[in-house]
């Protein structure tokens, strides 16, 4: 395959797949070149060095898994549908299975730490926005954002480490849809109002 036929995106996606499989050490230029069926020279056509590839791969993950998801979800006008849509998309089929747990496990690397921190802030802010749209106050929205994001990360970790004992966490499992609906319902259910107090949502 000629180097012109392998794009920068091909390299970044290959790097993300490798990272999900084996962590940062698996992002090796020679290994990725063999996977893409190109020479090492193809890599230097697009990147100055391995660190530049890693940064580009992380930015691609941030763009696809966060910025584009937020843009899509914001297009939904109904607040409740928008909230359910966000969790359904986030906890649906992963483009690269195991990638997010792998990234979280490698935040000792400065480039990974920077992007993961930025993505976490963006996602928590958007989750708080989602809950605010449902009528929750700022503090309640923040707390639900934290709980919702913790549930998201835990759900992905179950897929990676406990697929046999928690198969409902797998998108293709027969019980996946019902389990996901239950989780979303728990996260979105308003708290009971104190007796005699008015309800605002």
């Amino acid at each position: 395959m000629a180097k012109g036929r392998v794009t920068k995106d091909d390299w970044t996606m290959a790097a993300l797949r490798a990272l999900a499989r084996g962590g940062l050490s698996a992002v090796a230029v020679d290994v990725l070149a063999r996977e893409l069926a190109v020479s090492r020279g193809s890599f230097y056509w697009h990147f100055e060095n391995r660190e530049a590839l890693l940064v580009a791969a992380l930015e691609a993950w941030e763009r696809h898994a966060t910025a584009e998801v937020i843009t899509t979800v914001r297009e939904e006008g109904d607040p409740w549908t928008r909230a359910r849509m966000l969790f359904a998309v986030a906890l649906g089929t992963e483009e690269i299975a195991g990638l997010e747990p792998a990234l979280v496990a490698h935040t000792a690397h400065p480039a990974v730490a920077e992007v993961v921190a930025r993505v976490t802030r963006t996602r928590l802010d958007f989750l708080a926005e989602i809950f605010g749209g449902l009528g929750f106050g700022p503090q309640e929205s923040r707390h639900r954002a934290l709980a919702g994001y913790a549930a998201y990360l835990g759900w992905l970790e179950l897929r990676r480490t406990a697929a046999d004992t928690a198969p409902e966490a797998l998108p293709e499992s027969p019980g996946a849809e019902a389990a996901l609906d239950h989780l979303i319902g728990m996260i979105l259910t308003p708290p009971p109002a104190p007796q005699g107090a008015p309800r605002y949502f």
Side-chain angles (χ1 to χ4, degrees), residues 50-63:
R50 177 182 177 273
E51 190 71 11
L53 168 62
L54 179 60
V55 170
L58 292 169
E59 290 174 348
W61 167 69
E62 178 179 19
R63 184 170 61 255

Side-chain angles (χ1 to χ4, degrees), residues 11-28 32 35 50 54 57-58 61 94-106 112 156-157 159-161:
W11 277 100
T12 57
M13 293 304 292
L16 291 174
R17 288 192 298 270
L19 202 158
R21 286 194 307 266
L24 287 177
S25 62
V27 184
L32 299 182
E35 179 182 325
R50 177 182 177 273
L54 179 60
L58 292 169
W61 167 69
E94 299 170 79
E95 184 176 3
I96 300 176
L99 176 57
E100 299 219 6
L103 288 169
V104 171
H106 288 84
V112 177
L156 295 184
E157 187 65 14
R159 287 180 184 172
R160 190 178 71 86
T161 62

Side-chain angles (χ1 to χ4, degrees), residues 141-173:
S141 293
R142 172 67 179 182
H143 290 169
R144 283 179 177 259
L146 291 169
Y149 199 58
Y152 164 76
L153 293 176
W155 203 263
L156 295 184
E157 187 65 14
L158 279 175
R159 287 180 184 172
R160 190 178 71 86
T161 62
D164 291 338
T165 53
E168 297 90 344
L170 299 172
E172 65 274 14
S173 167

